[in-house]
Structures are given as C-alpha cells and as structure tokens.
Amino acid sequence: MLENTTAFVTGASQGIGREIAVTLADYGANVALAARSDGIHETAEIIDDEDRTLTVETDVTDEDSVEAAIEATVEEFGGLDCLVNNAGIAGPVQPYDRIEETDWEYVLDVNLIGAWRCVKHAGAHLRESDQGSVVNIGSIGGKRPYPNRTPYAASKMGMVGLTRTLAYELGRDDVTVNCVQPGPVAGDRIDEAIEKQAAMAELENAEPASIGDDDFALPEFMIPPADVAEQVAYLAGPYGRKITGQEIAIDSGGTY
C-alpha cells in the first residue's frame, strides 16, 4: 500500500510514534525515525530493514535540527511523501493557576509549534509528491475539556486549527492534511497521568479528574497503539486521498 513512498515520523522512539513507524514500514514505506532519544535505534531494530530506515536525531523545538533532519531524509530516499507530526509531551498535571509560564511555553513549543516547524521544512517536498500527506497526532483533549491539563489541551486544540488551515494551504498541490485524535492510549504515559491526577486529591483547592466508564461509549475504552497507527497508514495511503482537513477521533466514543 505504501511501497515507493517515504515517511518522516517524529517522536518515533517510543509509544504511538514507534507503532506508527513500524506499521508504515510494514506497509512498504521508507521511514525516517526522528526523535531526541536513542530509542529511534531500537525502533529501527524492530523494523529490521537498513535499506528502508533512517535514524535522524531531531529536536522539534530547534528549527535548524528539523531542517537538517528532513533534508537528510530527502537525500537518503530521494523525496518525501508523508509527514507524521507525533512528537509531543504530556506537560504538567496541575490546576491552571499552579502552572508556571515556562511550562506553558514548552508544551506549546513541542506539541504545536514543533509540528509547524516540521511542515515548514517538509512542505516543499510534499508538494512534489503525487501522494503527499501530513498526519498530525492530536488528542481528544483537542475536542473536550481536560481538567488540570490546560497547556496540553490548548496545544491539541491548536493542532485542529493548524490542520484545517494547512489543508487549504497545501491542498492546491494535492497534499492532504488531517489530525488523528486518540483517546487514552494504553501505555506508560496514561498510567503516569492517572497517578498525577489522583495525587491532587491531597492538594488544597484542587479537584482530581478521573477517567472512567461513564466518559466513553464503549466499555473497553483504552486505545491500542496499533489502532492509531493503522489510521495513520490509511490516511497516508492511496485510499485516503480525498480525506483532508479532518479530525478523526479514535476514542471509544469519548467525544460523542
């Protein structure tokens, strides 16, 4: 489905990003594995195909780093067809009035401005592709309130505006831009967020927010990372060419 295409995946060192990179490779794509940590080499070992993988140390908060990583990808594989903006951080789990401004700035820099930096430098190459696509990884925090997670929620809601606008700016050159919005994805990150929410019960004037059955339409509401990865592959593939400017929730009915 993705043979003879090249994808650049940020945050490919672990979690959803690793799952996405492995899935795209399974469908035949060349994959550039971009992240700050050494985990990108572990992801490459899982894919186990040196000819179709490239590990590129990338910091999405540093424009020079982003530009160099994308140019290295194009040089290695001859072009770029898909950009997956997955790099992100959870940010602080605190009431809005206890969050430091520096934390706000950093969350937005990684989660939202980092995605824009990647599109800025990938856009010209995607326009040259006959199957160009951008898939932004958002969150149901971009569609519903996320108590005690204001920077994260704002960054993910901002991703919706970025997606919709880029869909029009890049669409004239047949590049699609969409946002996949997962609900709680099974793994270490959600476990840590749940623990931090629970800990706020001991703070004065703080109200913990819980994740429970009443929040979702489906009884088994945790999202397997593979479900997110398969949706990304669909949007990057030939059957997703008429889908653009959309937010696609994979959330067990958490935003119905």
Side-chain angles (χ1 to χ4, degrees), residues 32-61:
L33 310 170
R36 290 179 297 180
S37 77
D38 290 340
I40 52 177
H41 302 293
E42 296 176 12
T43 304
E45 290 177 2
I46 294 170
I47 295 173
D48 193 25
D49 189 334
E50 293 183 359
D51 292 335
R52 294 195 297 113
T53 55
L54 177 69
T55 56
V56 279
E57 185 175 334
T58 310
D59 180 353
V60 297
T61 69

PDB file of all heavy atoms in Angstrom, residues 32-61:
ATOM      1  N   ALA A  32      11.833   7.539   8.002  1.00  0.00           N
ATOM      2  CA  ALA A  32      12.823   8.287   8.779  1.00  0.00           C
ATOM      3  C   ALA A  32      12.315   8.352  10.211  1.00  0.00           C
ATOM      4  O   ALA A  32      11.194   8.819  10.454  1.00  0.00           O
ATOM      5  CB  ALA A  32      13.015   9.681   8.213  1.00  0.00           C
ATOM      6  N   LEU A  33      13.121   7.884  11.128  1.00  0.00           N
ATOM      7  CA  LEU A  33      12.750   7.811  12.540  1.00  0.00           C
ATOM      8  C   LEU A  33      13.362   9.018  13.242  1.00  0.00           C
ATOM      9  O   LEU A  33      14.577   9.094  13.419  1.00  0.00           O
ATOM     10  CB  LEU A  33      13.259   6.511  13.155  1.00  0.00           C
ATOM     11  CG  LEU A  33      12.917   5.246  12.358  1.00  0.00           C
ATOM     12  CD1 LEU A  33      13.661   4.050  12.906  1.00  0.00           C
ATOM     13  CD2 LEU A  33      11.411   5.007  12.362  1.00  0.00           C
ATOM     14  N   ALA A  34      12.527   9.957  13.635  1.00  0.00           N
ATOM     15  CA  ALA A  34      13.005  11.227  14.181  1.00  0.00           C
ATOM     16  C   ALA A  34      12.603  11.366  15.643  1.00  0.00           C
ATOM     17  O   ALA A  34      11.429  11.226  15.988  1.00  0.00           O
ATOM     18  CB  ALA A  34      12.435  12.392  13.372  1.00  0.00           C
ATOM     19  N   ALA A  35      13.578  11.647  16.492  1.00  0.00           N
ATOM     20  CA  ALA A  35      13.327  11.906  17.913  1.00  0.00           C
ATOM     21  C   ALA A  35      14.626  12.359  18.549  1.00  0.00           C
ATOM     22  O   ALA A  35      15.707  12.274  17.941  1.00  0.00           O
ATOM     23  CB  ALA A  35      12.787  10.664  18.621  1.00  0.00           C
ATOM     24  N   ARG A  36      14.534  12.806  19.802  1.00  0.00           N
ATOM     25  CA  ARG A  36      15.725  13.249  20.509  1.00  0.00           C
ATOM     26  C   ARG A  36      16.456  12.092  21.179  1.00  0.00           C
ATOM     27  O   ARG A  36      17.639  12.198  21.464  1.00  0.00           O
ATOM     28  CB  ARG A  36      15.343  14.278  21.580  1.00  0.00           C
ATOM     29  CG  ARG A  36      14.894  15.604  21.030  1.00  0.00           C
ATOM     30  CD  ARG A  36      14.516  16.551  22.133  1.00  0.00           C
ATOM     31  NE  ARG A  36      13.375  16.060  22.909  1.00  0.00           N
ATOM     32  CZ  ARG A  36      12.830  16.694  23.929  1.00  0.00           C
ATOM     33  NH1 ARG A  36      13.342  17.861  24.329  1.00  0.00           N
ATOM     34  NH2 ARG A  36      11.795  16.197  24.561  1.00  0.00           N
ATOM     35  N   SER A  37      15.757  11.003  21.444  1.00  0.00           N
ATOM     36  CA  SER A  37      16.339   9.937  22.265  1.00  0.00           C
ATOM     37  C   SER A  37      16.882   8.793  21.418  1.00  0.00           C
ATOM     38  O   SER A  37      16.556   8.641  20.237  1.00  0.00           O
ATOM     39  CB  SER A  37      15.296   9.398  23.241  1.00  0.00           C
ATOM     40  OG  SER A  37      14.391   8.550  22.577  1.00  0.00           O
ATOM     41  N   ASP A  38      17.682   7.957  22.072  1.00  0.00           N
ATOM     42  CA  ASP A  38      18.281   6.802  21.400  1.00  0.00           C
ATOM     43  C   ASP A  38      17.256   5.730  21.052  1.00  0.00           C
ATOM     44  O   ASP A  38      17.590   4.771  20.353  1.00  0.00           O
ATOM     45  CB  ASP A  38      19.365   6.187  22.301  1.00  0.00           C
ATOM     46  CG  ASP A  38      20.586   7.079  22.429  1.00  0.00           C
ATOM     47  OD1 ASP A  38      20.768   7.953  21.559  1.00  0.00           O
ATOM     48  OD2 ASP A  38      21.351   6.911  23.399  1.00  0.00           O
ATOM     49  N   GLY A  39      16.040   5.890  21.511  1.00  0.00           N
ATOM     50  CA  GLY A  39      15.009   4.897  21.209  1.00  0.00           C
ATOM     51  C   GLY A  39      14.745   4.722  19.733  1.00  0.00           C
ATOM     52  O   GLY A  39      14.203   3.692  19.317  1.00  0.00           O
ATOM     53  N   ILE A  40      15.124   5.714  18.917  1.00  0.00           N
ATOM     54  CA  ILE A  40      14.916   5.559  17.467  1.00  0.00           C
ATOM     55  C   ILE A  40      15.731   4.384  16.927  1.00  0.00           C
ATOM     56  O   ILE A  40      15.317   3.734  15.954  1.00  0.00           O
ATOM     57  CB  ILE A  40      15.261   6.850  16.698  1.00  0.00           C
ATOM     58  CG1 ILE A  40      16.644   7.378  17.055  1.00  0.00           C
ATOM     59  CG2 ILE A  40      14.195   7.906  16.915  1.00  0.00           C
ATOM     60  CD1 ILE A  40      17.072   8.617  16.287  1.00  0.00           C
ATOM     61  N   HIS A  41      16.856   4.084  17.558  1.00  0.00           N
ATOM     62  CA  HIS A  41      17.663   2.946  17.102  1.00  0.00           C
ATOM     63  C   HIS A  41      16.977   1.622  17.461  1.00  0.00           C
ATOM     64  O   HIS A  41      17.048   0.659  16.693  1.00  0.00           O
ATOM     65  CB  HIS A  41      19.058   3.025  17.708  1.00  0.00           C
ATOM     66  CG  HIS A  41      19.775   4.291  17.376  1.00  0.00           C
ATOM     67  ND1 HIS A  41      20.183   4.608  16.100  1.00  0.00           N
ATOM     68  CD2 HIS A  41      20.144   5.351  18.160  1.00  0.00           C
ATOM     69  CE1 HIS A  41      20.780   5.794  16.094  1.00  0.00           C
ATOM     70  NE2 HIS A  41      20.764   6.258  17.335  1.00  0.00           N
ATOM     71  N   GLU A  42      16.285   1.588  18.584  1.00  0.00           N
ATOM     72  CA  GLU A  42      15.507   0.397  18.948  1.00  0.00           C
ATOM     73  C   GLU A  42      14.349   0.210  17.974  1.00  0.00           C
ATOM     74  O   GLU A  42      14.032  -0.927  17.582  1.00  0.00           O
ATOM     75  CB  GLU A  42      14.990   0.533  20.373  1.00  0.00           C
ATOM     76  CG  GLU A  42      16.076   0.599  21.438  1.00  0.00           C
ATOM     77  CD  GLU A  42      15.511   0.839  22.823  1.00  0.00           C
ATOM     78  OE1 GLU A  42      14.285   0.721  22.991  1.00  0.00           O
ATOM     79  OE2 GLU A  42      16.302   1.171  23.728  1.00  0.00           O
ATOM     80  N   THR A  43      13.725   1.312  17.584  1.00  0.00           N
ATOM     81  CA  THR A  43      12.648   1.223  16.591  1.00  0.00           C
ATOM     82  C   THR A  43      13.183   0.678  15.272  1.00  0.00           C
ATOM     83  O   THR A  43      12.542  -0.166  14.623  1.00  0.00           O
ATOM     84  CB  THR A  43      12.003   2.597  16.373  1.00  0.00           C
ATOM     85  OG1 THR A  43      11.550   3.121  17.626  1.00  0.00           O
ATOM     86  CG2 THR A  43      10.823   2.503  15.421  1.00  0.00           C
ATOM     87  N   ALA A  44      14.352   1.141  14.873  1.00  0.00           N
ATOM     88  CA  ALA A  44      14.972   0.654  13.639  1.00  0.00           C
ATOM     89  C   ALA A  44      15.255  -0.846  13.723  1.00  0.00           C
ATOM     90  O   ALA A  44      15.088  -1.578  12.734  1.00  0.00           O
ATOM     91  CB  ALA A  44      16.258   1.413  13.354  1.00  0.00           C
ATOM     92  N   GLU A  45      15.661  -1.310  14.893  1.00  0.00           N
ATOM     93  CA  GLU A  45      15.929  -2.738  15.069  1.00  0.00           C
ATOM     94  C   GLU A  45      14.649  -3.550  14.926  1.00  0.00           C
ATOM     95  O   GLU A  45      14.661  -4.666  14.393  1.00  0.00           O
ATOM     96  CB  GLU A  45      16.562  -2.993  16.437  1.00  0.00           C
ATOM     97  CG  GLU A  45      17.992  -2.464  16.548  1.00  0.00           C
ATOM     98  CD  GLU A  45      18.569  -2.655  17.931  1.00  0.00           C
ATOM     99  OE1 GLU A  45      17.869  -3.242  18.796  1.00  0.00           O
ATOM    100  OE2 GLU A  45      19.717  -2.224  18.171  1.00  0.00           O
ATOM    101  N   ILE A  46      13.530  -3.002  15.396  1.00  0.00           N
ATOM    102  CA  ILE A  46      12.240  -3.701  15.256  1.00  0.00           C
ATOM    103  C   ILE A  46      11.858  -3.801  13.787  1.00  0.00           C
ATOM    104  O   ILE A  46      11.407  -4.852  13.315  1.00  0.00           O
ATOM    105  CB  ILE A  46      11.148  -2.963  16.056  1.00  0.00           C
ATOM    106  CG1 ILE A  46      11.448  -3.030  17.553  1.00  0.00           C
ATOM    107  CG2 ILE A  46       9.767  -3.560  15.767  1.00  0.00           C
ATOM    108  CD1 ILE A  46      10.558  -2.140  18.397  1.00  0.00           C
ATOM    109  N   ILE A  47      12.032  -2.724  13.036  1.00  0.00           N
ATOM    110  CA  ILE A  47      11.715  -2.746  11.601  1.00  0.00           C
ATOM    111  C   ILE A  47      12.651  -3.692  10.867  1.00  0.00           C
ATOM    112  O   ILE A  47      12.242  -4.419   9.953  1.00  0.00           O
ATOM    113  CB  ILE A  47      11.801  -1.324  11.019  1.00  0.00           C
ATOM    114  CG1 ILE A  47      10.724  -0.434  11.650  1.00  0.00           C
ATOM    115  CG2 ILE A  47      11.652  -1.349   9.493  1.00  0.00           C
ATOM    116  CD1 ILE A  47      10.812   1.025  11.278  1.00  0.00           C
ATOM    117  N   ASP A  48      13.915  -3.671  11.255  1.00  0.00           N
ATOM    118  CA  ASP A  48      14.901  -4.631  10.771  1.00  0.00           C
ATOM    119  C   ASP A  48      15.055  -4.601   9.247  1.00  0.00           C
ATOM    120  O   ASP A  48      15.002  -5.628   8.578  1.00  0.00           O
ATOM    121  CB  ASP A  48      14.530  -6.053  11.234  1.00  0.00           C
ATOM    122  CG  ASP A  48      15.672  -7.045  11.038  1.00  0.00           C
ATOM    123  OD1 ASP A  48      16.841  -6.598  11.013  1.00  0.00           O
ATOM    124  OD2 ASP A  48      15.398  -8.251  10.907  1.00  0.00           O
ATOM    125  N   ASP A  49      15.230  -3.397   8.716  1.00  0.00           N
ATOM    126  CA  ASP A  49      15.485  -3.251   7.283  1.00  0.00           C
ATOM    127  C   ASP A  49      16.310  -1.984   7.092  1.00  0.00           C
ATOM    128  O   ASP A  49      15.764  -0.883   6.982  1.00  0.00           O
ATOM    129  CB  ASP A  49      14.173  -3.172   6.507  1.00  0.00           C
ATOM    130  CG  ASP A  49      14.391  -3.250   4.999  1.00  0.00           C
ATOM    131  OD1 ASP A  49      15.488  -2.873   4.538  1.00  0.00           O
ATOM    132  OD2 ASP A  49      13.457  -3.672   4.286  1.00  0.00           O
ATOM    133  N   GLU A  50      17.615  -2.126   7.048  1.00  0.00           N
ATOM    134  CA  GLU A  50      18.504  -0.968   6.978  1.00  0.00           C
ATOM    135  C   GLU A  50      18.296  -0.146   5.717  1.00  0.00           C
ATOM    136  O   GLU A  50      18.519   1.069   5.716  1.00  0.00           O
ATOM    137  CB  GLU A  50      19.961  -1.425   7.065  1.00  0.00           C
ATOM    138  CG  GLU A  50      20.352  -2.013   8.409  1.00  0.00           C
ATOM    139  CD  GLU A  50      21.821  -2.372   8.458  1.00  0.00           C
ATOM    140  OE1 GLU A  50      22.514  -2.176   7.429  1.00  0.00           O
ATOM    141  OE2 GLU A  50      22.275  -2.857   9.510  1.00  0.00           O
ATOM    142  N   ASP A  51      17.882  -0.796   4.638  1.00  0.00           N
ATOM    143  CA  ASP A  51      17.709  -0.074   3.380  1.00  0.00           C
ATOM    144  C   ASP A  51      16.503   0.866   3.408  1.00  0.00           C
ATOM    145  O   ASP A  51      16.436   1.806   2.617  1.00  0.00           O
ATOM    146  CB  ASP A  51      17.548  -1.058   2.228  1.00  0.00           C
ATOM    147  CG  ASP A  51      18.827  -1.837   1.949  1.00  0.00           C
ATOM    148  OD1 ASP A  51      19.903  -1.320   2.282  1.00  0.00           O
ATOM    149  OD2 ASP A  51      18.726  -2.956   1.413  1.00  0.00           O
ATOM    150  N   ARG A  52      15.551   0.604   4.310  1.00  0.00           N
ATOM    151  CA  ARG A  52      14.319   1.403   4.313  1.00  0.00           C
ATOM    152  C   ARG A  52      14.118   2.200   5.599  1.00  0.00           C
ATOM    153  O   ARG A  52      13.027   2.734   5.823  1.00  0.00           O
ATOM    154  CB  ARG A  52      13.106   0.491   4.071  1.00  0.00           C
ATOM    155  CG  ARG A  52      13.082  -0.126   2.692  1.00  0.00           C
ATOM    156  CD  ARG A  52      11.728  -0.705   2.337  1.00  0.00           C
ATOM    157  NE  ARG A  52      11.337  -1.801   3.214  1.00  0.00           N
ATOM    158  CZ  ARG A  52      10.316  -1.743   4.065  1.00  0.00           C
ATOM    159  NH1 ARG A  52       9.590  -0.651   4.188  1.00  0.00           N
ATOM    160  NH2 ARG A  52      10.032  -2.782   4.816  1.00  0.00           N
ATOM    161  N   THR A  53      15.136   2.289   6.433  1.00  0.00           N
ATOM    162  CA  THR A  53      15.033   3.092   7.645  1.00  0.00           C
ATOM    163  C   THR A  53      16.214   4.059   7.749  1.00  0.00           C
ATOM    164  O   THR A  53      17.316   3.767   7.301  1.00  0.00           O
ATOM    165  CB  THR A  53      15.000   2.214   8.912  1.00  0.00           C
ATOM    166  OG1 THR A  53      16.141   1.363   8.926  1.00  0.00           O
ATOM    167  CG2 THR A  53      13.730   1.395   8.972  1.00  0.00           C
ATOM    168  N   LEU A  54      15.932   5.193   8.342  1.00  0.00           N
ATOM    169  CA  LEU A  54      16.955   6.185   8.621  1.00  0.00           C
ATOM    170  C   LEU A  54      16.681   6.755  10.004  1.00  0.00           C
ATOM    171  O   LEU A  54      15.573   7.218  10.272  1.00  0.00           O
ATOM    172  CB  LEU A  54      16.913   7.314   7.586  1.00  0.00           C
ATOM    173  CG  LEU A  54      17.890   8.478   7.809  1.00  0.00           C
ATOM    174  CD1 LEU A  54      19.329   8.019   7.584  1.00  0.00           C
ATOM    175  CD2 LEU A  54      17.538   9.656   6.900  1.00  0.00           C
ATOM    176  N   THR A  55      17.659   6.696  10.891  1.00  0.00           N
ATOM    177  CA  THR A  55      17.514   7.303  12.206  1.00  0.00           C
ATOM    178  C   THR A  55      18.105   8.708  12.154  1.00  0.00           C
ATOM    179  O   THR A  55      19.260   8.892  11.771  1.00  0.00           O
ATOM    180  CB  THR A  55      18.216   6.470  13.286  1.00  0.00           C
ATOM    181  OG1 THR A  55      19.588   6.283  12.935  1.00  0.00           O
ATOM    182  CG2 THR A  55      17.545   5.112  13.451  1.00  0.00           C
ATOM    183  N   VAL A  56      17.295   9.702  12.525  1.00  0.00           N
ATOM    184  CA  VAL A  56      17.739  11.093  12.472  1.00  0.00           C
ATOM    185  C   VAL A  56      17.411  11.752  13.815  1.00  0.00           C
ATOM    186  O   VAL A  56      16.253  11.955  14.151  1.00  0.00           O
ATOM    187  CB  VAL A  56      17.077  11.864  11.314  1.00  0.00           C
ATOM    188  CG1 VAL A  56      17.780  11.595  10.011  1.00  0.00           C
ATOM    189  CG2 VAL A  56      15.598  11.532  11.185  1.00  0.00           C
ATOM    190  N   GLU A  57      18.454  12.051  14.568  1.00  0.00           N
ATOM    191  CA  GLU A  57      18.243  12.734  15.842  1.00  0.00           C
ATOM    192  C   GLU A  57      17.639  14.107  15.561  1.00  0.00           C
ATOM    193  O   GLU A  57      18.219  14.906  14.823  1.00  0.00           O
ATOM    194  CB  GLU A  57      19.564  12.867  16.594  1.00  0.00           C
ATOM    195  CG  GLU A  57      19.402  13.466  17.974  1.00  0.00           C
ATOM    196  CD  GLU A  57      20.695  13.489  18.756  1.00  0.00           C
ATOM    197  OE1 GLU A  57      21.572  12.641  18.485  1.00  0.00           O
ATOM    198  OE2 GLU A  57      20.832  14.369  19.632  1.00  0.00           O
ATOM    199  N   THR A  58      16.483  14.374  16.157  1.00  0.00           N
ATOM    200  CA  THR A  58      15.726  15.577  15.819  1.00  0.00           C
ATOM    201  C   THR A  58      15.100  16.177  17.072  1.00  0.00           C
ATOM    202  O   THR A  58      14.464  15.474  17.853  1.00  0.00           O
ATOM    203  CB  THR A  58      14.589  15.251  14.829  1.00  0.00           C
ATOM    204  OG1 THR A  58      15.102  14.490  13.736  1.00  0.00           O
ATOM    205  CG2 THR A  58      13.937  16.519  14.299  1.00  0.00           C
ATOM    206  N   ASP A  59      15.259  17.472  17.224  1.00  0.00           N
ATOM    207  CA  ASP A  59      14.604  18.216  18.286  1.00  0.00           C
ATOM    208  C   ASP A  59      13.618  19.174  17.631  1.00  0.00           C
ATOM    209  O   ASP A  59      14.017  20.144  16.975  1.00  0.00           O
ATOM    210  CB  ASP A  59      15.641  18.992  19.102  1.00  0.00           C
ATOM    211  CG  ASP A  59      15.034  19.793  20.247  1.00  0.00           C
ATOM    212  OD1 ASP A  59      13.787  19.856  20.346  1.00  0.00           O
ATOM    213  OD2 ASP A  59      15.802  20.366  21.043  1.00  0.00           O
ATOM    214  N   VAL A  60      12.317  18.923  17.787  1.00  0.00           N
ATOM    215  CA  VAL A  60      11.323  19.720  17.067  1.00  0.00           C
ATOM    216  C   VAL A  60      11.235  21.148  17.587  1.00  0.00           C
ATOM    217  O   VAL A  60      10.588  21.999  16.953  1.00  0.00           O
ATOM    218  CB  VAL A  60       9.929  19.060  17.090  1.00  0.00           C
ATOM    219  CG1 VAL A  60       9.958  17.716  16.377  1.00  0.00           C
ATOM    220  CG2 VAL A  60       9.393  18.944  18.512  1.00  0.00           C
ATOM    221  N   THR A  61      11.885  21.441  18.720  1.00  0.00           N
ATOM    222  CA  THR A  61      11.906  22.823  19.209  1.00  0.00           C
ATOM    223  C   THR A  61      13.066  23.621  18.611  1.00  0.00           C
ATOM    224  O   THR A  61      13.210  24.809  18.891  1.00  0.00           O
ATOM    225  CB  THR A  61      12.008  22.875  20.748  1.00  0.00           C
ATOM    226  OG1 THR A  61      13.301  22.418  21.171  1.00  0.00           O
ATOM    227  CG2 THR A  61      10.926  22.035  21.397  1.00  0.00           C
TER     228      THR A  61
END
